[in-house]
Amino acid sequence: MPAVELNNICKSYNDNLVVDNVSFTVAQGEIFGLIGPNGAGKTTTIRMMMDITKPDSGEISILGESLNEATKNRVGYLPEERGLYRKVRVLDTLVYLASLKGLGVRAARSRAEELLKRVDMLPHKDKKVEELSRGMGQIIQFLVTLIHDPQLLVLDEPFAGLDPVNTKLLKEMILELRNQGKAIVLSTHMMNEVEALCDRILMINKGCTVLYGELAEIKSRYRNNSVFLEFDGVLGEIEGVVGKKEHGEYVELFLDKETPPQKILRQLASRGVSVNRFEVSTPSLNEIFLQVVEKGQ
Amino acid sequence: MNKTILILKREFGQTIKRKSFIIITLAFPVLILIAIGIFSFIQGIEKPLVPSEVISIGYVDEVGGFSGYTEQPGEPTVILMGYNTPEEATSALLAGEISQYFIIPSNYVATGVVTRYTLQRELEPPGGIQWALKSFLLSNLLEGQTSPEVMERTKAPMGLVSIRLDETGQVATDQGGFGALIVPLAVGFLLIISIFSSSGSLLQGLGEEKENRVMEILLSSVSARQLLTGKVLGLGAAGLVQVVIWLLSAVFLVRWTSTLIGGFAGTLQIPDNFLVLGIVYFILVYLFFAVLMASIGAIGANARDSQQLSMILIMPAWIPLWGLFFFLNNPDHVVSRILTMIPVTAPLMVFVRLGTSEIPTWELVMSISILIAGIIGGLLLAAKLFRTFLLMYGKRPRLGEIIKSLREA
């Protein structure tokens, strides 16, 4: 049973189609990246998953059923728009919001303390939320998302506004959750985080799906078939190379369709060229993202 | 535990722990106690026989014959001193021998005009002095023409005592008058204050949750209906606690004051159905306002915006106050009856009428029925608006969008 299954979801506001026929599934135990530029329809898609807004058409299944009170208790949601009750103490906030997820007060309290300890924030438990720094507040909100031990976590831009230390902490915790078998939907436009964490992705632009699948497969699909080479000596003509681009310290060699990179390396070795760096070029997700978005415009 | 009850408990707990709530709840009984204390204290210190103030007033008699009764006892005691000319009287006034003087002109009997001269800047001549001067003039005018008893009666010909009888011809327990008006009117005001403070908390709470974005977390845990119900009932329960404390303290304090102080306080009355009507109207009017405030909270861009919008509801509630003088004198006028039926104006109007007259049972039943219908209608409206607009941040929807969403929902 997939953790999330969306089939042909459409949503429009004031005759403006913001999500157009989007479908995807998220398996248990995987980190799924929902990526796209600002205004692509990511947050609207997530709000429909969370039953905060209704889709105009299409079907949504969360943990095998349409979202109801019982399933809501098994889902953790970190919204993009952050905030907590400013005048309420940290521990009380965690306990109240956990109780709305079906956790008993006593269990919520001990779980809250355990999580605060995990993020080194136990000494702050009696502080009011307004006394915390922005980053600390975000960590507390992340704890709200997972305090009730949900089976599915939906994180909308979880790293936005976090410093490198807290970003690292959050990443570690997300990976821990994945290792515990939880499904995680990560919506972001920070591509380096997606590359580091996600197993599969869905890229949407202007409400439409533009890329969907395994991250590694997508990257190989968008490969230029070129290699980066840093060397000493004379290069000369190399069989299978159809173009060359200087990048200062190194050159990029563009290969014809039949030539694998290994063949180039063999030729270089046979000529006695001293190779300092040889790297098969794979475009970063950021480059793919830009390429796809620009193509769509 | 049911999530609605969780929200209810939290809203109730947060509200009754708030300092402003505790202060307002206790302020009413405490202020009345202080007022009673001051009243008794003043009465107590007035009781000892302090010799009353004596004021010397000059007069110039141009008619002739106003020479007797120159000492007028009262508050203050007035000693009248005759002068032959206005100049003499002015000199005496400037010398401080008299505080003021007046001239009885030669045509006084025909015109009744008397001119008074004083060094004081005042709004109007003090009542005690006016009474003393009238008494002086009347006594001299009637001198020798009637008995002293008739002369005294002429000065104060009527002390009206009005008694209301019930249908059996017995003296009615509710005698009406200002004594019967004060408590219901005061409680009517307090009821409105409590309703607005409770429904205002709802509005503010929603506005804050919208502003601080907790709303989205809440809606991913509970449904909009659970959130709305929990909040409305939780804040309403807190308001009810406040109102019950006020009503009970009103009943207790009035009974206690009547026996303790007497006088005007002794005439204070509480209508028979006062407690029940107070609670019923609080609950119903609160629910009515709460569901409408929730709709406004859903539409408003933030707490401040919502509060401005809510003025549309709050202003009409005070209509009975704007026309208070008219309604007090015409409690059974058709306008008064219509305002009893309109949910927004009902609570204050009912208590104004309760204090001045009697409201026929059918009118109360109709007023309450309209309120209940209003609550149901408001609930349907709120639920639709809640779902559509609760997550629109920073932007108030246009009227057209609201109507469209209501049609589509």
Side-chain angles (χ1 to χ4, degrees):
Chain A
M1 174 190 68
V4 178
E5 192 169 4
L6 266 74
N7 283 319
N8 311 106
I9 295 302
C10 292
K11 177 76 185 175
S12 57
Y13 287 117
N14 298 325
D15 304 324
N16 183 21
L17 200 58
V18 287
V19 176
D20 184 5
N21 207 26
V22 168
S23 303
F24 64 88
T25 56
V26 180
Q28 308 270 8
E30 79 166 340
I31 302 178
F32 184 84
L34 185 59
I35 61 177
N38 294 328
K42 303 188 295 288
T43 298
T44 306
T45 305
I46 285 177
R47 282 184 179 172
M48 287 189 284
M49 282 166 54
M50 292 293 101
D51 194 38
I52 293 171
T53 45
K54 294 261 184 229
D56 296 338
S57 61
E59 280 169 19
I60 298 174
S61 152
I62 302 292
L63 300 171
E65 50 193 340
S66 61
L67 201 65
N68 54 41
E69 198 173 319
T71 8
K72 274 185 179 179
N73 290 351
R74 293 163 63 205
V75 178
Y77 173 42
L78 179 75
E80 182 187 13
E81 306 272 7
R82 301 293 151 67
L84 291 165
Y85 296 107
R86 296 182 54 75
K87 304 273 179 204
V88 181
R89 294 185 317 146
V90 169
L91 191 65
D92 294 343
T93 302
L94 286 166
V95 170
Y96 174 59
L97 293 173
S99 71
L100 290 183
K101 288 287 191 186
L103 214 60
V105 172
R106 196 172 295 172
R109 188 173 292 269
S110 78
R111 173 91 171 125
E113 285 181 349
E114 178 192 318
L115 286 172
L116 285 169
K117 202 170 166 191
R118 164 73 179 84
V119 297
D120 287 333
M121 279 180 66
L122 197 56
H124 301 290
K125 68 174 183 175
D126 291 325
K127 281 189 183 167
K128 286 183 179 168
V129 169
E130 64 185 358
E131 293 168 42
L132 299 181
S133 72
R134 195 181 141 90
M136 282 169 142
Q138 268 183 258
I139 296 291
I140 296 298
Q141 203 162 4
F142 181 65
L143 299 187
V144 167
T145 315
L146 58 98
I147 187 164
H148 54 294
D149 196 25
Q151 198 52 40
L152 166 69
L153 285 100
V154 179
L155 312 174
D156 198 354
E157 299 287 358
F159 307 108
L162 279 186
D163 62 28
V165 178
N166 281 327
T167 304
K168 183 168 170 278
L169 174 69
L170 216 64
K171 275 205 258 183
E172 283 170 8
M173 290 180 78
I174 291 172
L175 288 170
E176 268 172 38
L177 289 163
R178 196 258 312 265
N179 295 340
Q180 288 164 18
K182 319 266 185 216
I184 296 153
V185 175
L186 190 69
S187 162
T188 181
H189 61 267
M190 293 166 110
M191 296 306 145
N192 51 341
E193 309 301 350
V194 178
E195 288 196 87
L197 291 168
C198 295
D199 306 307
R200 291 190 315 128
I201 60 157
L202 174 92
M203 187 188 287
I204 55 174
N205 187 32
K206 293 180 182 168
C208 300
T209 302
V210 287
L211 281 175
Y212 175 49
E214 296 271 345
L215 187 58
E217 186 274 324
I218 287 171
K219 288 183 88 166
S220 80
R221 206 191 317 157
Y222 276 80
R223 217 170 64 184
N224 284 331
N225 205 22
S226 66
V227 293
F228 297 127
L229 179 67
E230 212 180 306
F231 65 97
D232 294 323
V234 182
L235 207 54
E237 280 294 315
I238 304 171
E239 198 189 326
V241 172
V242 291
K244 201 190 304 181
K245 191 175 175 186
E246 294 286 343
H247 288 280
E249 294 274 300
Y250 64 97
V251 287
E252 185 174 3
L253 304 176
F254 296 95
L255 317 184
D256 62 26
K257 279 181 188 163
E258 286 78 37
T259 309
Q262 292 77 0
K263 193 173 169 187
I264 305 295
L265 191 60
R266 275 200 298 274
Q267 288 186 62
L268 294 171
S270 66
R271 288 180 195 186
V273 175
S274 156
V275 174
N276 300 325
R277 175 186 167 203
F278 185 87
E279 183 185 330
V280 178
S281 129
T282 44
S284 68
L285 196 53
N286 206 23
E287 285 166 321
I288 299 174
F289 179 80
L290 288 174
Q291 210 177 319
V292 170
V293 169
E294 278 162 14
K295 205 170 85 183
Q297 277 167 354
Chain B
M1 199 189 295
N2 185 318
K3 290 179 182 177
T4 309
I5 295 172
L6 278 171
I7 296 170
L8 186 158
K9 270 176 71 179
R10 179 175 187 275
E11 295 293 334
F12 179 79
Q14 293 268 318
T15 309
I16 59 164
K17 274 189 243 158
R18 206 177 294 149
K19 274 187 212 132
S20 59
F21 179 87
I22 297 170
I23 291 171
I24 291 175
T25 309
L26 297 180
F28 169 66
V30 168
L31 280 178
I32 292 191
L33 271 177
I34 291 173
I36 293 170
I38 293 172
F39 192 75
S40 324
F41 180 69
I42 291 171
Q43 268 201 335
I45 55 169
E46 268 186 1
K47 287 279 161 64
L49 287 172
V50 178
S52 90
E53 197 189 351
V54 178
I55 289 181
S56 299
I57 297 180
Y59 71 98
V60 179
D61 176 14
E62 294 178 353
V63 178
F66 287 89
S67 54
Y69 306 98
T70 51
E71 185 174 338
Q72 289 290 335
E75 295 286 339
T77 294
V78 172
I79 305 290
L80 291 128
M81 299 162 80
Y83 293 89
N84 293 324
T85 62
E87 290 73 24
E88 272 181 38
T90 306
S91 307
L93 175 65
L94 296 176
E97 291 164 21
I98 50 173
S99 66
Q100 53 204 285
Y101 72 89
F102 63 100
I103 294 171
I104 309 166
S106 52
N107 62 350
Y108 162 70
V109 177
T111 64
V113 173
V114 167
T115 316
R116 173 172 171 264
Y117 295 89
T118 174
L119 296 172
Q120 301 298 317
R121 186 173 186 273
E122 55 197 14
L123 213 55
E124 61 167 8
I129 288 174
Q130 284 198 51
W131 195 90
L133 296 187
K134 275 184 191 165
S135 168
F136 166 71
L137 293 168
L138 201 64
S139 305
N140 280 296
L141 283 170
L142 295 177
E143 171 63 21
Q145 295 184 32
T146 181
S147 65
E149 291 77 19
V150 172
M151 195 189 282
E152 280 308 304
R153 188 50 49 240
T154 313
K155 289 177 195 169
M158 183 172 79
L160 186 64
V161 179
S162 176
I163 291 172
R164 182 178 168 233
L165 301 180
D166 61 16
E167 293 80 1
T168 62
Q170 301 296 308
V171 175
T173 45
D174 175 9
Q175 284 293 319
F178 282 99
L181 169 68
I182 285 192
V183 177
L185 193 61
V187 169
F189 280 135
L190 291 173
L191 213 60
I192 296 275
I193 290 170
S194 181
I195 287 166
F196 283 144
S197 111
S198 305
S199 55
S201 300
L202 177 75
L203 191 69
Q204 196 172 356
L206 283 175
E208 276 170 16
E209 278 164 359
K210 235 175 144 170
E211 256 170 82
N212 66 23
R213 312 297 196 235
V214 178
M215 190 57 79
E216 221 161 323
I217 300 179
L218 292 177
L219 288 183
S220 71
S221 310
V222 301
S223 69
R225 188 178 48 78
Q226 285 171 321
L227 185 65
L228 181 66
T229 318
K231 277 180 172 293
V232 166
L233 295 183
L235 291 167
L240 191 62
V241 167
Q242 189 173 53
V243 164
V244 167
I245 290 175
W246 287 347
L247 288 173
L248 289 179
S249 59
V251 171
F252 169 74
L253 287 171
V254 164
R255 295 219 173 116
W256 185 56
T257 319
S258 303
T259 52
L260 184 78
I261 303 177
F264 175 69
T267 69
L268 289 179
Q269 291 165 34
I270 291 180
D272 301 335
N273 44 7
F274 170 79
L275 258 179
V276 175
L277 279 181
I279 292 172
V280 166
Y281 269 92
F282 171 80
I283 293 174
L284 293 179
V285 177
Y286 164 73
L287 286 175
F288 178 74
F289 272 98
V291 290
L292 293 186
M293 291 286 196
S295 312
I296 288 177
I299 297 169
N302 49 46
R304 195 186 303 163
D305 191 42
S306 304
Q307 247 145 13
Q308 281 172 353
L309 276 174
S310 72
M311 290 312 286
I312 302 167
L313 283 179
I314 293 175
M315 295 306 278
W318 293 109
I319 287 175
L321 184 65
W322 304 341
L324 188 63
F325 190 71
F326 174 80
F327 297 124
L328 286 179
N329 287 309
N330 305 284
D332 300 322
H333 191 275
V334 64
V335 177
S336 313
R337 285 166 183 232
I338 290 172
L339 292 182
T340 310
M341 299 299 153
I342 299 173
V344 183
T345 50
L348 201 50
M349 201 65 230
V350 163
F351 282 88
V352 166
R353 291 182 67 192
L354 214 58
T356 48
S357 164
E358 265 171 20
I359 309 174
T361 313
W362 72 267
E363 280 191 38
L364 282 177
V365 170
M366 196 162 149
S367 162
I368 288 170
S369 310
I370 293 175
L371 252 175
I372 292 172
I375 293 165
I376 295 167
L379 205 59
L380 295 174
L381 178 85
K384 285 177 181 176
L385 292 178
F386 224 61
R387 172 119 203 161
T388 316
F389 295 112
L390 209 51
L391 289 177
M392 277 199 175
Y393 302 127
K395 171 178 164 278
R396 188 199 298 172
R398 292 190 304 274
L399 190 63
E401 286 173 8
I402 296 171
I403 294 167
K404 189 172 170 235
S405 80
L406 286 179
R407 278 205 196 122
E408 285 172 359

